[in-house]
Amino acid sequence: MENRVAENVLGTLGAVCWSIQLLPQIIINYRRHDTDGLQGSMMLLWAAAGVPLGVYNIVEEFNIALRIQPQILTTLSLLTWAQCLYYGKKYSISKCCIAVTSLLVLLGGIEAGLIFGLQAAKDQGLRWPLILMAVLSACLLAAGVLRHYWDIYVHRTVRGISFIFVGIDAAGDLFSLVSVLFGRKIDILGIVIYGTELILWIGVFICGGIFNLRPWIKERASRRDVDLQEPVTLHPMPSSTSVFRTVSGSQVVARRPRFNPS
């Protein structure tokens, strides 16, 4: 069902979400001065995924917003990866800048070359190179998110990642997916690319509800019972506004000891 206005509006919303998706994560990393729990390999996989995704979206002549979107993904992913190097591996700022700049130039050159090559192949009726780009981008995006599933399995909590970032990224996937549906033709591969990551992010939210939200609710309930039994509260209760703010691996939450007059 072609609708050029809906396609462009939704594609733009998807690109906007992908433009700001990593900003909450970058801000949290800066405030914590820590990236423990955030997978640096995820950021590299996403940066690499921007190359085949950009090639596919440009050669298949998606709307302008979806052509720009992968370039934003690669840039922000590399910036977040630089934070992993700086806070996690204690690299100097100069080393981080050199690493990011070198990869940006390398990935940009590869993408430009592939665009010209695959455009020529498309003109000659060859479809398999484009299919390969779509499959590769979907696999890289999925692999990046799956790195967090392993961390969740090992630590039994969703740590080091901003749920605001997850929500914005999932919204970007959703808007982009619907934008593809309103294109000149329904692009199955485009749906697979954005749909795969969207499903994986929904899974991360579910894990957050199981491992982060449910224990928090139980803890609040137990504290409420204690408050009902003890009319005098000797220690202030922590704020509940951070229920979905994941802790980094270096942060340890301990119960305050009960006051003992003896």
Side-chain angles (χ1 to χ4, degrees):
M1 181 175 62
E2 181 178 1
N3 187 323
R4 300 296 292 177
V5 174
E7 178 190 5
N8 285 292
V9 169
L10 291 166
T12 301
L13 288 173
V16 168
C17 287
W18 274 30
S19 298
I20 63 175
Q21 59 172 332
L22 278 169
L23 294 182
Q25 186 67 56
I26 291 172
I27 292 171
I28 283 180
N29 295 341
Y30 173 75
R31 288 178 176 175
R32 289 175 174 168
H33 297 289
D34 184 13
T35 55
D36 194 14
L38 179 64
Q39 306 299 317
S41 56
M42 170 188 173
M43 296 297 106
L44 281 179
L45 286 167
W46 274 12
V51 174
L53 181 61
V55 172
Y56 185 81
N57 288 3
I58 291 172
V59 176
E60 282 292 83
E61 299 179 353
F62 282 6
N63 58 74
I64 297 298
L66 292 185
R67 298 185 198 186
I68 298 173
Q69 184 189 69
Q71 326 312 324
I72 297 170
L73 172 66
T74 296
T75 302
L76 290 180
S77 296
L78 287 179
L79 287 176
T80 311
W81 174 66
Q83 286 187 311
C84 293
L85 295 180
Y86 182 73
Y87 294 122
K89 297 184 179 297
K90 308 303 180 184
Y91 279 31
S92 65
I93 293 179
S94 59
K95 283 186 177 180
C96 293
C97 291
I98 292 172
V100 169
T101 303
S102 300
L103 278 177
L104 276 175
V105 172
L106 176 62
L107 294 176
I110 293 173
E111 182 176 345
L114 287 172
I115 289 172
F116 286 112
L118 268 67
Q119 185 63 63
K122 181 183 178 181
D123 294 340
Q124 295 178 3
L126 293 176
R127 291 289 303 172
W128 69 263
L130 275 175
I131 295 175
L132 177 62
M133 290 294 104
V135 171
L136 184 59
S137 61
C139 289
L140 289 171
L141 287 169
V145 183
L146 286 171
R147 288 291 293 112
H148 269 289
Y149 275 85
W150 175 252
D151 191 75
I152 292 169
Y153 172 76
V154 171
H155 297 280
R156 293 296 190 273
T157 185
V158 184
R159 65 188 192 120
I161 189 169
S162 165
F163 277 99
I164 298 175
F165 149 59
V166 174
I168 295 174
D169 192 14
D173 289 325
L174 179 60
F175 286 133
S176 301
L177 189 155
V178 179
S179 174
V180 172
L181 293 176
F182 281 109
R184 290 175 298 174
K185 60 178 182 178
I186 296 179
D187 193 299
I188 301 300
L189 291 174
I191 293 173
V192 170
I193 292 171
Y194 293 109
T196 300
E197 191 184 45
L198 175 60
I199 291 171
L200 290 174
W201 279 137
I202 292 173
V204 172
F205 267 117
I206 293 173
C207 291
I210 296 172
F211 295 117
N212 293 44
L213 178 60
R214 190 171 63 177
W216 178 83
I217 292 174
K218 289 182 178 179
E219 184 178 358
R220 292 286 294 178
S222 63
R223 287 181 176 178
R224 190 179 300 113
D225 293 339
V226 171
D227 289 342
L228 290 175
Q229 296 172 5
E230 299 179 4
V232 178
T233 302
L234 298 177
H235 300 283
M237 301 299 290
S239 170
S240 63
T241 58
S242 60
V243 57
F244 263 119
R245 183 180 302 164
T246 60
V247 298
S248 68
S250 62
Q251 290 176 301
V252 178
V253 179
R255 291 183 179 273
R256 293 183 178 179
R258 193 180 296 275
F259 176 74
N260 187 348
S262 61

